[in-house]
Amino acid sequence: MSHDQDNAPALPTGRPAAEILTELKALRTADAPTRGGRTFAYVYDAGREGLDELAAEAYAAYATVNGLDPTVFPSVARLENELVGAAAALLGGSPQTRGTFTSGGTESILLAVKTARDHARSTRGVTDPQLVLPSTAHAAFHKAAAYLGLEPVVVPVDPVTYKANPTAMAAAITPRTALVVASAPSYAHGVIDPVARIAEAAAEHEVLCHVDACIGGWLLPYLRKTGREVEPFDLSLPGVTSLSVDLHKYGYADKGASVVLYRDAELRRHQYFAHAGWPGYPVVNPTVQGTKSAGLLAQAWAVLQHIGEDGYTALAARVAEASDHLTEGLRAIPDVHILGEPEAGLVAFTVLTTATPDRPSGTPDLSLLLHLADEMRVRGWYLQPQLSFDGLPPNLHLTLTPATVDRVDTLLTDLPEALTSARALPPVTADPALTDLAADLDPDTLTPDEIAGILAFAGLGEGAGLPERMAPVLFLLDELPGRLKERLLTEFVGSVFRSGRP
């Protein structure tokens, strides 16, 4: 690096505010839309006028407030207590229920797993804890296990319903088990695990049970209020000891906003971190974060206050309407097969090879499915591809929101046309030489040059940017062993988030 480069300023001398905002808005034009009902993953659109503006103003009012210390900023405790209280009232809590506002589902899950680990250590002397979870449990539980030193014990789900098998879950519990997990619903397929039976088995073994209701916790109770049948899944079940619910999903708050609930304060105390062994201020952190803006708390509180009980019930009815209409339409399209019975705003479907006398029911066609996702994206839709896993078929995942109700007919018109176009494309294949090579590779010993070569082969090399069509990349990933897939994804994301000077 030259001397001039060494002394080059990191930032410009200063730019006009209008110019900066114009550039930010221009950058957004390449992103998937977050409003309007065409992006079926990552975003939750209530479709209500003025909601975004309310959230932004509430955030701005509290952006400079530090949520680290509620004794200095007592409004933080007031807002959090009201938010947690609302979640507890909605989700079967009692006067003893306690909870915490967090930055999102992953942090809520991390805290619940930490709580279970420390509880198992202090009450049962467990020093090598295990985490029992169905194979459809969110990846955040594996992340928590990796961060916190637990061994995941993964139990296969029913291959027809995609729900956790309560008998198999119970059989997986050992004296080392710190926590048993159930989903309401699972993200991948949108089905609710048999929570009551799983929680009962955990209680019989005196083990904690966490319900991941991150995506369904603020929707399912309101679906029940619209007249839908929803089996008990929350803290009203005696064996459920903790539960997570994201307010930035069907609560329609901005990201990130979540709540983790515990049956009582004695259990929640294991979540906290306290430290007095340094010369600075006494530290007590309920969450992973220390310093944090109270803006996200304020905007979540404001959104919940504004929508209210009747508003959430009406929004849940719109989600149910969209789900019913979509599933009916999908079932009418030849070779499209819905996975399981969607129960909570999430729908996953696969595409089958055209049935023949030898294969009357068809089999999932990964190449066609991935081409379909690309063709739909060309038409302005984002459907989330999910690859095959442990005998479960690859599929396209859709998250339905109130804003999608008026888009379903257009989607169902575009989908068969996109499927016809996808069938006309050459099948995606993976280079046999590369897949054979991959089978012998050790992900932990791959050199940077080897990784770069594989990524370049997949069209994801340094500086290549994102390919216009993802089907070839995803097809290759589906062919690779799991650990190698994880290593390549890690390296690819690392290449996207580059540091250093241009």
Side-chain angles (χ1 to χ4, degrees):
M1 181 179 290
S2 71
H3 179 74
D4 287 343
Q5 287 176 314
D6 230 4
N7 293 288
L11 292 170
T13 55
R15 298 167 60 188
E19 178 184 319
I20 295 166
L21 293 173
T22 298
E23 182 173 348
L24 285 173
K25 291 175 182 177
L27 287 170
R28 282 283 287 116
T29 60
D31 295 341
T34 60
R35 294 294 181 260
R38 282 181 166 262
T39 302
F40 283 82
Y42 304 123
V43 299
Y44 297 83
D45 185 2
R48 287 179 56 133
E49 290 290 331
L51 200 60
D52 288 342
E53 291 76 12
L54 169 64
E57 289 189 34
Y59 182 93
Y62 273 76
T64 60
V65 174
N66 192 338
L68 174 65
D69 191 343
T71 67
V72 178
F73 303 103
S75 63
V76 171
R78 162 78 181 271
L79 294 178
E80 179 158 338
N81 283 336
E82 291 192 7
L83 258 186
V84 170
L90 185 68
L91 294 163
S94 72
Q96 286 71 46
T97 300
R98 297 293 183 269
T100 302
F101 179 80
T102 77
S103 65
T106 294
E107 187 177 20
S108 289
I109 286 168
L110 273 167
L111 293 171
V113 173
K114 177 196 179 297
T115 296
R117 182 198 67 179
D118 292 359
H119 178 269
R121 179 187 299 153
S122 65
T123 61
R124 294 190 285 124
V126 177
T127 57
D128 51 350
Q130 293 177 325
L131 176 64
V132 174
L133 63 163
S135 60
T136 50
H138 197 279
F141 288 99
H142 294 270
K143 183 176 184 178
Y147 279 13
L148 298 169
L150 289 85
E151 177 191 349
V153 178
V154 179
V155 181
V157 298
D158 185 285
V160 175
T161 66
Y162 304 97
K163 297 186 178 188
N165 181 330
T167 303
M169 293 283 289
I173 299 172
T174 74
R176 294 173 54 197
T177 304
L179 185 66
V180 177
V181 173
S183 304
S186 62
Y187 180 85
H189 306 105
V191 298
I192 302 171
D193 288 335
V195 177
R197 293 179 60 190
I198 293 171
E200 182 181 16
E204 288 175 355
H205 289 81
E206 298 183 346
V207 169
L208 301 184
C209 177
H210 181 82
V211 174
D212 173 16
C214 285
I215 201 164
W218 211 262
L219 175 65
L220 291 170
Y222 291 107
L223 285 177
R224 188 183 287 129
K225 291 183 180 184
T226 70
R228 299 275 169 151
E229 184 177 345
V230 177
E231 291 294 321
F233 68 92
D234 56 20
L235 289 164
S236 64
L237 296 170
V240 174
T241 52
S242 61
L243 180 147
S244 49
V245 53
D246 287 357
L247 305 180
H248 60 225
K249 292 189 169 74
Y250 288 106
Y252 307 109
D254 286 343
K255 300 177 184 297
S258 181
V259 168
V260 57
L261 296 173
Y262 299 96
R263 185 157 293 281
D264 54 41
E266 176 63 18
L267 184 56
R268 185 185 61 170
R269 74 176 178 83
H270 295 286
Q271 170 191 294
Y272 282 43
F273 171 81
H275 187 72
W278 75 308
Y281 60 91
V283 172
V284 182
N285 294 151
T287 66
V288 175
Q289 299 178 89
T291 289
K292 54 190 175 184
S293 170
L296 289 169
L297 171 65
Q299 62 85 21
W301 179 89
V303 168
L304 266 63
Q305 293 288 322
H306 181 65
I307 296 177
E309 288 287 303
D310 291 344
Y312 279 115
T313 303
L315 291 172
R318 285 181 62 81
V319 172
E321 178 187 351
S323 182
D324 289 348
H325 190 21
L326 177 64
T327 53
E328 180 182 1
L330 289 175
R331 289 188 173 110
I333 301 174
D335 299 327
V336 168
H337 175 65
I338 295 173
L339 304 183
E341 294 294 332
E343 299 174 86
L346 310 180
V347 176
F349 71 89
T350 194
V351 179
L352 307 177
T353 55
T354 302
T356 66
D358 296 332
R359 292 184 301 183
S361 60
T363 56
D365 189 331
L366 176 62
S367 173
L368 181 58
L369 186 81
L370 298 177
H371 275 323
L372 174 60
D374 282 340
E375 288 296 317
M376 287 297 286
R377 196 157 190 174
V378 168
R379 290 162 173 78
W381 304 94
Y382 178 73
L383 312 185
Q384 186 176 46
Q386 298 186 139
L387 302 180
S388 56
F389 171 76
D390 195 28
L392 305 180
N395 60 83
L396 296 182
H397 169 102
L398 292 84
T399 299
L400 300 169
T401 69
T404 61
V405 172
D406 299 329
R407 297 289 189 179
V408 171
D409 283 331
T410 308
L411 174 73
L412 291 172
T413 298
D414 286 352
L415 192 64
E417 295 176 0
L419 189 53
T420 299
S421 297
R423 284 197 170 100
L425 295 172
V428 185
T429 58
D431 187 328
L434 182 60
T435 53
D436 289 346
L437 172 65
D440 297 325
L441 292 176
D442 180 353
D444 297 325
T445 60
L446 284 175
T447 67
D449 287 343
E450 289 170 329
I451 288 287
I454 297 173
L455 289 175
F457 184 90
L460 298 174
E462 184 82 20
L466 293 173
E468 291 185 6
R469 300 184 73 89
M470 291 298 295
V473 176
L474 294 174
F475 191 93
L476 174 62
L477 284 175
D478 195 76
E479 293 281 307
L480 297 178
R483 289 183 60 243
L484 179 59
K485 189 184 306 183
E486 291 166 355
R487 176 72 193 277
L488 292 177
L489 288 170
T490 299
E491 296 296 334
F492 166 65
V493 172
S495 74
V496 171
F497 291 102
R498 299 190 302 272
S499 62
R501 296 179 183 176

